[in-house]
Amino acid sequence: MQLTVWTYEGPPHVGAMRIAASMRGVHYVLHAPQGDTYADLLFTMIERRDTRPPVTYTTFQARDLGSDTAEIFKTACREAVERFRPDAVLVGASCTAELIQDNPGGLAKALDLDIPVIPLELPSYQKKENWGASETFYRLVRTFAPAPAARAETRAPGRICNILGPTALGFRHRDDIVEITRLVESLGIAVNVVAPLGADIADLALLPEAAFNIVLYPEIAGVAADWLARNHGQPSVTITPIGVGATETFIAAVATHAGLAPQDRPGAGSRLPWYSRSIDSTYLTGKRVFIFGDATHAIAAARIAAKELGFTVCGLGTYSREFARELRSAAAECGVEPLITDDHLEVEEAIIAAQPELVLGTQMERHVAKRLRIPCAVISSPVHVQDFPARYSPQMGYEGTNVIFDSWVHPLMMGLEEHLLGMFRDDFEFNDGAAPSHLAPVSPPVEREPVLQQATTLPASPSVTIEPPWADEAERELKKIPFFVRGKARRNTEKYALEQGLSIITVEDLYDAKAHYSR
Amino acid sequence: MNAPVSLPPLGSAAKPLRERGQHEVFCGLTSIMWLHRKMQDAFFLVVGSRTCAHLMQSAAGVMIFAEPRFATAIIDERDLAGLADIHEELDKVVDKLLARRPEIRLLVLVGSCPSEVIKLDLAKAADRLGGIHGPAVRFLHYSGSGIETTFTQGEDNFLAALVHELPSEPAGAAKSLIVAGALADVVEDQFRRIFDALGIGPVTFLPPRNSAALPHIGPQTRLLLAQPFLGEATKAMERRGARHLAAPFPLGEEGTTAWLLAAATEFGVDPERFAAITGPGRTRARMAVEKHRSVLDGKRIFFFPDSQLEPSMARFLYREAGCEILEIGTPFLHRHHVADEFALLPPDVFVSEGQDVDRQLDRCRAARPDLVVCGMGLANPLEAEGMATKWSIELVFTPVQGYEQAGDLAELFVRPFARREKLRVRV
Ligand code: SF4
Ligand code: SF4
C-alpha cells in the first residue's frame, strides 16, 4: 500500500485510452464502474477535444456483482460496435473489473464480432499509465503489421520513415509531430506513417513499408519499435530531438538511416545558440536548476540546461522507472544524485534541499515551486489545460529550442534587472519582493524570507541539525543580499558556523563564510 | 361511469424512464472535493486503487491545494496476494499520515470499488485504528465507491457515518433543528441569521465546520435537508429519533421561502413575523432573478444526470426564470425527498433515472435544447455540436442556496447565453 496525494501517472487503462483516443477507427470497451468515466474529461477538458474519447464503459454496479457483470460486458461491447462501427475494438478491464475476473477478451471473442478484437491485459495493481499506453500500442502494431513468416532481413537505408510515439494527452506531441515531419521532409525524406496519433489500422499495416522508424517518445513507442526491428528488420532512430545538440545528432542519425551523404543542415536553425551567447544571458550562468519529469523530457532538459543555457543542474529525476538506467547516467553526467520516484512529496523534499533558482518539472513541481516562490516552467506530463496552448509551441526540433529558450528563461529575472535589484534593494517599489516586471502577477509581492525559512524547516526534511542563531544585525545584513542567492548564503553561513563551532552568527561570520566558500 | 384508470406516463416523476447503460457520472469519492474543505480538522483517506487517486486528481482539475486534506492509500499487488496483512499495511499508511499531519482530529477511511470487491473491512480497521490512535484522533468509515454511489451520494454516506457519532439529546432537551447537507460557510451564516431572527433554535449544521462540534440528536430533533441527496443520512437520523421536515430545497426565492417555512411552521413562528423577517430577502431574490429573466424566459433546458440537484434546479428555472424543461436526468430519484419539487413542476415533465448516455445523447440531439446541463466529459463535445452547455458540477461547487444567492444561480445559467451573444468569432 502506498500513500499518495497526487500521482504522476494514471492507471494503465488510461494509457490504453490515450492510444484509442489518438487513433481513428479504434474503439475501447472498458469493463469498469461508473466513476471511472472521469477519464473522459482528461480529453474533453484538459486537451479541449471536441469529441468524446472512443471509449464505452460497462459501468457495472454492486448489485450486478456475482450475477451478470459478464452479460453487461457483452451487451456493452455488442452495442458499442453497432453504434460506433469501429474498424477494430480494444477490450479490457479497469482495476475493479480486474478483481472480478470476467475476462473481457474471452467474452468479446464469444460475441463473434466481424471486426478485429484486441484483448488488453493491463495489470492495474502493478503497472501505470505509460506502460499501459506502450503495451496497447505494441499490441496494435503486432496485430495490424503482422510479422512475416520468414525472419526479416535488415533493411537497406531508404528515404522513407515512420514517426512513432506521439499520443493524445502527450506533452506538446501535437506540435512536435508537425515540427519533426517538417524537419524530416526538409532532408528529402518522406514520412510514411505517424502513429499512434492520427493513424488508423490501415496505416499500421503500412508501417513495414518504411526503411526505418523514428521513436519520438520511447515511453510509448519503444517496445513497438523494438518489435518492428526484430520482426521487420526496421532500425530505429532513438535520439529525442529536444535541444540544439540533440536535434543535430538526430538529423545526422536520420540522414544515415536514409542513406544520405553528409550534407548541409536544414535552413532556419535555432535562435537559442545566439540568444545564449548574447550579453543579456550572462546572468543565466550557473543558475541552479532542478529538473523532474518523464524520462524523455527530463534527460533532454538536463542536457539543454547544462550545455545550451549554462545552468547548473542541482537536481534531476524522473517518475519513469522503466527509464531509470538512462536517467542515472544523465544524472551522473551532471554530477547529481538521480531521483527516481513517483512520490511527489519526496520530490518536494528534494527541491527544498537543493535550493534551486529555477524548477523545470510537471504540474506537481509547478505547484511546489509556487509555494516556495521559485520560478518554474513545465516541461513534461502529467499535463494540465495550460499545457495545450493555443499557439504553436513544439518542444522538438529547432523551433522547439526557440520555444524552450523563451519558456524557461521568462520566469527568471533578466540580466540587468538582477543587478539593479542588488543596487536598489531598499527602494520601496523596486525590490526583491516584487515579481519580475515582465511577468503577469502570478504571485503577490510578499516577503520571501519567511517562506525560505519555512522551507528549510518543513517537518519532512530528515536531517535536523541545530543551526546557531543569527545575531539581529547579521540577520538584517542577510536580508540585504539579493533573495535569489540569499537562501544559499544562509545555508553556507550556517554550515560554516556549525563547522567553526560558533554559538551565534555575526555579520563578520556572514562575510567570513562568503569568503570561505568563494574559494 | 367507468373512468379509465390513467397510469402515469413513462418518463414522469411517478414513473421515470429507468435506463441501464453506460453511466457518465462521477463516483461518490468525488464529494471529498468539498467535504475536506468543509470540515477543517478532518482528513479523508481513500483506500483504493491508482484509478481512485487519479480520479481525485483529475476531478479536482488542477492541484488547487498544495496539500489537500485527502489522500489515497493505493492497494498494490502485494496487498492482494495476502489479504491478511493488508490491514497492517493500512495501519502503516495511517501512521505515516498522522506523523505528517499531526493536526488531524478525524480520519475518515473511504471505501472504494476495489476495497469493497476484495471485502476489506473498513469498519474493523476504523475500530482498530481508533484503539491505537484514539481518543486524540477519531476514525470513521464510509463507502464512496462507484459501484455503490454516484457523486453526491458520497456526502450522503459520510453524513450517515457521522450520524452514528452524534451524541444523544440530553434528557428534557428542547426542540432543536439540524440542517443537513454541506453548504458554503457564507450561506450557512445567512441561514443562521434568519433562523435567529425567526426565533428558531437551537440550530446546528451537519457537517459542522469542526469535527468536535457535533450536534446532539434525538426525538426532539427536527431535520431540514439543505440537499436533496441525503437519503441514507436521513434514514440514519430518523433511526435516532429525529423527524424530517418535508420541503422543497432552498434554491431560488420560492424554494428558500418554502424551506424556511417548513421550519417556521414546526417551530410555531407567527406568520406575520415570518413574513416580516423573510420579506426583504424575498424581495432582493426576486429582483436579482428578474434581472436575468429576459435571457432565460422561454429557454428549453435539458439536464443530464449528475448530482440529484436536477429536479430542484429544474423547478427553479421553470418557476422563476420561465424556462421550459425538456428532460430532467438524475442519477437517482429519491421520490419522497423531491416530491415537493415535482408538485411545482408540470406533471408531464420528462424524468429519467440512471442513464444510458448514448441514448440520452440521441434524445438531446433530437430535442436541440437551448441549454444542456451536463458533466465535464460531455460539455465540450456538445459545444462542438453547436449546443450551449453548463457544467453541472458548478451547481454543486458554487454557493447557490438561499435568497442572497438566487441571482447568482440564475446568472450561472445566463452565462452561456451571454457569452455566445458576445463572441464574434466563428469556429
Ligand atoms: S469508480 Fe470505483 S475504482 Fe473508480 S475511482 Fe471511483 S471508487 Fe475508484
Ligand atoms: S423516503 Fe424520506 S421519509 Fe422515507 S425513509 Fe427515506 S428519508 Fe425517510
Side-chain angles (χ1 to χ4, degrees), chain A residues 33-36 38 95-96, chain B residues 27 29 49 51-52 55 111-114 144-147:
Chain A
Q34 61 190 350
D36 293 2
Y38 79 88
C95 52
T96 306
Chain B
C27 66
L29 294 186
S49 61
T51 312
C52 308
L55 158 95
S112 67
C113 305
S145 79
I147 52 174

Side-chain angles (χ1 to χ4, degrees), chain B residues 317-334:
Chain B
L317 289 172
Y318 170 72
R319 303 276 296 189
E320 297 184 39
C323 296
E324 187 188 332
I325 308 299
L326 300 179
E327 173 164 345
I328 300 177
T330 186
F332 177 73
L333 193 66
H334 197 300

Side-chain angles (χ1 to χ4, degrees), chain B residues 231 234-235 238 244 334 336-337:
Chain B
T234 304
K235 270 191 250 171
E238 285 173 337
H244 171 218
H334 197 300
H336 190 89
H337 287 180

Side-chain angles (χ1 to χ4, degrees), chain A residues 439-505:
Chain A
L439 280 189
V442 261
S443 43
V446 296
E447 179 56 47
R448 272 164 182 266
E449 200 59 13
V451 181
L452 278 179
Q453 268 176 4
Q454 178 210 327
T456 49
T457 57
L458 273 187
S461 69
S463 57
V464 186
T465 41
I466 313 296
E467 286 99 11
W470 287 71
D472 285 353
E473 204 195 343
E475 188 86 51
R476 275 196 299 279
E477 190 74 9
L478 180 69
K479 287 218 172 94
K480 293 180 192 165
I481 293 171
F483 70 87
F484 39 85
V485 285
R486 196 183 298 150
K488 199 158 119 197
R490 174 185 286 280
R491 201 171 29 139
N492 283 349
T493 311
E494 285 169 356
K495 197 164 137 208
Y496 175 80
L498 220 55
E499 278 166 17
Q500 304 290 317
L502 304 174
S503 56
I504 186 159
I505 298 172

Side-chain angles (χ1 to χ4, degrees), chain A residues 2 4 7 38 44 62 367 384, chain B residues 54 57 62-63 72 74 380:
Chain A
Q2 189 201 349
T4 50
T7 66
Y38 79 88
T44 63
H367 205 88
H384 180 261
Chain B
H54 197 237
Q57 168 162 342
V62 282
M63 290 110 217
T72 307
I74 298 184
N380 265 338

